[in-house]
Amino acid sequence: MKTKHILTLLIALFFAHAGWSQGTVAQRQRANEAVIPKAVMKVFKEQYPDVMIKGWYVTHITYWQNDYSSGWYNDWYGQRNVVVYSYSKPSYYEVEFVADASELSRAIYNLNGYWYETRSQLRGLPLPIIEALQASKYANWKISPMKERLEAPGWPVDVYRFKVSKGLQARILRMDDQGNFIQEKFLGE
């Protein structure tokens, strides 16, 4: 009799969990190229004609804004707990690709092919940025190995984002490719 009650309880818990998870859509799901809208493929191929595609994903814009993938955002800024928007089903497409052997890039498009942004992980920074850092208050600060270039249609130049630290002090810096400071975010103080 006890076994029957335990089995009934387990079945009830299974169905309750299945019911709760019905409304949850995974933030980022791998997708076959065949499901990517033609408008998205057209814009992507015009922007990046000679790249090696690592994978396509169906996603949410909130996933991109929160940047849960590979720790690109949360490793720098920490976990966000504010939801900007929520969607019942994904309507954005993200592609990971390699354009240069030293960079892994990710671009996001909406279902009509509008390009929002491309983020590329970098191994190094352009010389003008290094020279600007050496001439600034950050001359003796350590540059993190995680660096990225951000490209977006609304920005006139590419933006480079990286972390610098010295002792217990840390900053997230954004600079343009000429070495001009765009933004400083104070961390851990």
Side-chain angles (χ1 to χ4, degrees):
M1 190 68 171
K2 251 185 187 180
T3 308
K4 187 175 182 181
H5 288 298
I6 292 173
L7 184 59
T8 304
L9 179 62
L10 288 174
I11 291 171
L13 287 173
F14 172 78
F15 283 112
H17 175 56
W20 288 327
S21 62
Q22 290 270 328
T24 305
V25 176
Q27 292 285 324
R28 183 178 189 238
Q29 298 173 341
R30 201 166 229 327
N32 186 311
E33 243 180 77
V35 303
I36 307 302
K38 289 180 183 172
V40 172
M41 292 299 286
K42 180 181 184 296
V43 172
F44 173 71
K45 287 181 180 182
E46 287 171 358
Q47 280 184 291
Y48 304 103
D50 300 317
V51 299
M52 181 182 79
I53 296 173
K54 293 196 66 147
W56 279 95
Y57 300 87
V58 177
T59 189
H60 288 273
I61 194 72
T62 54
Y63 180 88
W64 184 264
Q65 290 166 342
N66 286 319
D67 209 342
Y68 293 122
S69 177
S70 309
W72 284 31
Y73 190 96
N74 289 333
D75 285 354
W76 287 333
Y77 291 101
Q79 184 70 29
R80 290 185 185 180
N81 30 0
V82 176
V83 175
V84 181
Y85 295 100
S86 61
Y87 296 89
S88 59
K89 78 182 211 184
S91 56
Y92 293 83
Y93 300 89
E94 178 185 339
V95 58
E96 286 185 357
F97 61 95
V98 177
D100 179 326
S102 63
E103 298 178 5
L104 173 64
S105 298
R106 296 168 45 223
I108 188 167
Y109 302 86
N110 73 7
L111 58 93
N112 299 312
Y114 177 81
W115 169 61
Y116 281 91
E117 185 178 71
T118 299
R119 300 175 184 182
S120 300
Q121 289 180 345
L122 308 172
R123 292 185 188 195
L125 294 168
L127 187 58
I129 291 177
I130 299 211
E131 289 172 346
L133 286 171
Q134 290 172 346
S136 75
K137 63 184 177 184
Y138 299 112
N140 298 322
W141 290 51
K142 180 182 174 190
I143 300 172
S144 73
M146 192 168 205
K147 304 166 207 54
E148 72 178 345
R149 181 181 60 246
L150 308 167
E151 306 166 66
W155 299 340
V157 296
D158 293 349
V159 175
Y160 292 79
R161 179 170 68 180
F162 54 95
K163 181 177 172 181
V164 294
S165 60
K166 182 177 183 182
L168 297 176
Q169 299 177 30
R171 309 277 189 279
I172 300 295
L173 302 179
R174 288 182 183 224
M175 299 176 75
D176 68 18
D177 59 357
Q178 298 304 306
N180 298 308
F181 287 87
I182 297 171
Q183 180 186 39
E184 286 180 81
K185 180 173 173 73
F186 294 72
L187 300 172
E189 294 178 14

